[in-house]
Amino acid sequence: MGQGLPATRVEVGATGADGIACAVSGYRGVLAVRDSGGRSMLLTDECLRAAQAELARAGMWAELSAAAGLAGLRSCAAGELDGPVVCVSTSSGFKGRGVGEDRSEPVSPEWEAVRARLRAAGLDD
Protein backbone atom coordinates (compact mmCIF):
# COMPACT_ATOMS: atom_id res chain seq x y z
CA MET A 1 0.00 0.00 0.00
CA GLY A 2 2.90 2.34 0.64
CA GLN A 3 0.93 4.73 2.86
CA GLY A 4 2.08 3.45 6.25
CA LEU A 5 -1.36 2.02 7.08
CA PRO A 6 -1.68 -1.30 8.88
CA ALA A 7 -2.99 -3.93 6.49
CA THR A 8 -3.41 -7.65 6.15
CA ARG A 9 -4.55 -10.17 3.56
CA VAL A 10 -6.52 -13.24 4.53
CA GLU A 11 -6.75 -16.03 1.98
CA VAL A 12 -9.77 -18.31 1.97
CA GLY A 13 -9.59 -22.06 2.47
CA ALA A 14 -12.10 -24.78 1.71
CA THR A 15 -15.41 -24.01 3.42
CA GLY A 16 -19.12 -24.56 3.10
CA ALA A 17 -19.64 -20.93 4.15
CA ASP A 18 -19.72 -19.70 0.58
CA GLY A 19 -21.22 -16.34 1.58
CA ILE A 20 -17.87 -15.38 3.14
CA ALA A 21 -15.59 -17.62 1.06
CA CYS A 22 -13.50 -14.90 -0.53
CA ALA A 23 -10.07 -13.51 0.16
CA VAL A 24 -10.12 -10.18 1.99
CA SER A 25 -7.50 -7.52 2.45
CA GLY A 26 -7.16 -3.95 3.55
CA TYR A 27 -6.66 -1.76 6.53
CA ARG A 28 -10.23 -1.01 7.70
CA GLY A 29 -10.65 -4.45 9.23
CA VAL A 30 -7.28 -4.18 10.97
CA LEU A 31 -8.28 -0.80 12.40
CA ALA A 32 -11.70 -2.06 13.51
CA VAL A 33 -10.19 -5.01 15.37
CA ARG A 34 -7.39 -2.93 16.89
CA ASP A 35 -9.52 0.08 17.86
CA SER A 36 -12.34 -1.99 19.36
CA GLY A 37 -10.03 -4.16 21.43
CA GLY A 38 -11.48 -7.13 19.57
CA ARG A 39 -9.78 -9.95 17.77
CA SER A 40 -10.14 -11.95 14.60
CA MET A 41 -11.06 -15.62 14.74
CA LEU A 42 -10.69 -18.61 12.48
CA LEU A 43 -13.84 -20.75 12.63
CA THR A 44 -14.22 -24.27 11.31
CA ASP A 45 -17.22 -25.42 9.31
CA GLU A 46 -18.02 -27.74 12.24
CA CYS A 47 -18.21 -24.72 14.55
CA LEU A 48 -20.35 -22.84 12.01
CA ARG A 49 -22.72 -25.82 11.63
CA ALA A 50 -23.15 -26.04 15.42
CA ALA A 51 -24.06 -22.34 15.54
CA GLN A 52 -26.38 -22.77 12.56
CA ALA A 53 -28.16 -25.64 14.35
CA GLU A 54 -28.46 -23.55 17.52
CA LEU A 55 -30.02 -20.72 15.54
CA ALA A 56 -32.41 -23.21 13.91
CA ARG A 57 -33.51 -24.49 17.32
CA ALA A 58 -34.29 -20.87 18.21
CA GLY A 59 -36.38 -20.49 15.05
CA MET A 60 -33.85 -18.67 12.85
CA TRP A 61 -33.01 -20.14 9.45
CA ALA A 62 -29.51 -18.94 8.55
CA GLU A 63 -27.12 -20.06 5.87
CA LEU A 64 -23.74 -21.27 7.13
CA SER A 65 -21.80 -18.01 6.81
CA ALA A 66 -24.62 -16.08 8.53
CA ALA A 67 -23.98 -18.15 11.67
CA ALA A 68 -20.38 -16.88 11.97
CA GLY A 69 -21.19 -14.28 14.65
CA LEU A 70 -22.75 -16.84 16.98
CA ALA A 71 -20.01 -19.37 16.17
CA GLY A 72 -17.40 -16.80 17.17
CA LEU A 73 -19.24 -16.04 20.40
CA ARG A 74 -19.51 -19.73 21.26
CA SER A 75 -15.77 -20.11 20.59
CA CYS A 76 -14.89 -17.62 23.32
CA ALA A 77 -13.91 -18.93 26.73
CA ALA A 78 -16.27 -18.38 29.64
CA GLY A 79 -15.63 -14.99 31.21
CA GLU A 80 -13.56 -13.84 28.23
CA LEU A 81 -16.11 -11.23 27.18
CA ASP A 82 -16.89 -8.14 29.17
CA GLY A 83 -20.01 -6.15 28.34
CA PRO A 84 -22.90 -6.62 25.98
CA VAL A 85 -22.49 -8.73 22.84
CA VAL A 86 -24.44 -8.44 19.59
CA CYS A 87 -24.33 -11.26 17.04
CA VAL A 88 -25.52 -10.33 13.57
CA SER A 89 -26.97 -12.92 11.22
CA THR A 90 -26.53 -11.53 7.74
CA SER A 91 -28.86 -13.66 5.62
CA SER A 92 -31.51 -16.34 5.61
CA GLY A 93 -31.13 -20.02 4.89
CA PHE A 94 -32.41 -19.52 1.36
CA LYS A 95 -28.84 -18.78 0.27
CA GLY A 96 -27.50 -22.05 1.66
CA ARG A 97 -26.19 -24.65 -0.73
CA GLY A 98 -28.50 -27.59 -1.15
CA VAL A 99 -31.63 -25.72 -0.07
CA GLY A 100 -34.62 -27.53 -1.50
CA GLU A 101 -32.77 -30.74 -2.31
CA ASP A 102 -34.42 -32.66 0.53
CA ARG A 103 -38.09 -33.08 -0.11
CA SER A 104 -40.84 -34.37 2.11
CA GLU A 105 -44.29 -35.62 1.35
CA PRO A 106 -46.95 -32.89 1.38
CA VAL A 107 -48.85 -32.56 4.63
CA SER A 108 -52.50 -31.71 5.01
CA PRO A 109 -52.98 -28.10 6.14
CA GLU A 110 -55.07 -29.07 9.17
CA TRP A 111 -53.33 -28.26 12.46
CA GLU A 112 -53.40 -31.85 13.78
CA ALA A 113 -51.66 -33.12 10.62
CA VAL A 114 -49.03 -30.39 10.86
CA ARG A 115 -48.51 -31.09 14.57
CA ALA A 116 -48.11 -34.83 13.88
CA ARG A 117 -45.47 -34.09 11.20
CA LEU A 118 -43.57 -31.80 13.57
CA ARG A 119 -43.65 -34.40 16.33
CA ALA A 120 -42.41 -37.07 13.91
CA ALA A 121 -39.47 -34.75 13.12
CA GLY A 122 -38.69 -34.38 16.83
CA LEU A 123 -40.08 -30.83 17.02
CA ASP A 124 -42.86 -31.35 19.52
CA ASP A 125 -44.35 -28.48 21.50
Side-chain angles (χ1 to χ4, degrees):
M1 294 194 24
Q3 298 177 7
L5 298 172
T8 190
R9 178 160 178 84
V10 179
E11 297 296 331
V12 70
T15 180
D18 57 319
I20 55 176
C22 59
V24 294
S25 63
Y27 70 95
R28 288 187 180 107
V30 173
L31 295 177
V33 171
R34 185 187 70 193
D35 294 350
S36 70
R39 65 186 169 109
S40 58
M41 302 176 82
L42 178 62
L43 301 168
T44 65
D45 278 8
E46 179 183 358
C47 196
L48 292 169
R49 279 194 276 290
Q52 183 184 44
E54 184 178 345
L55 289 169
R57 288 189 299 275
M60 293 180 63
W61 187 29
E63 53 112 355
L64 200 58
S65 62
L70 182 59
L73 175 64
R74 295 298 184 238
S75 295
C76 293
E80 183 178 349
L81 302 174
D82 180 32
V85 175
V86 176
C87 292
V88 178
S89 179
T90 56
S91 68
S92 76
F94 283 112
K95 290 184 176 181
R97 289 186 179 172
V99 170
E101 289 178 354
D102 295 334
R103 306 267 174 152
S104 65
E105 293 297 317
V107 63
S108 173
E110 288 79 29
W111 178 241
E112 284 307 315
V114 172
R115 179 177 277 164
R117 177 67 65 86
L118 291 172
R119 283 187 182 137
L123 302 171
D124 41 5
D125 42 19

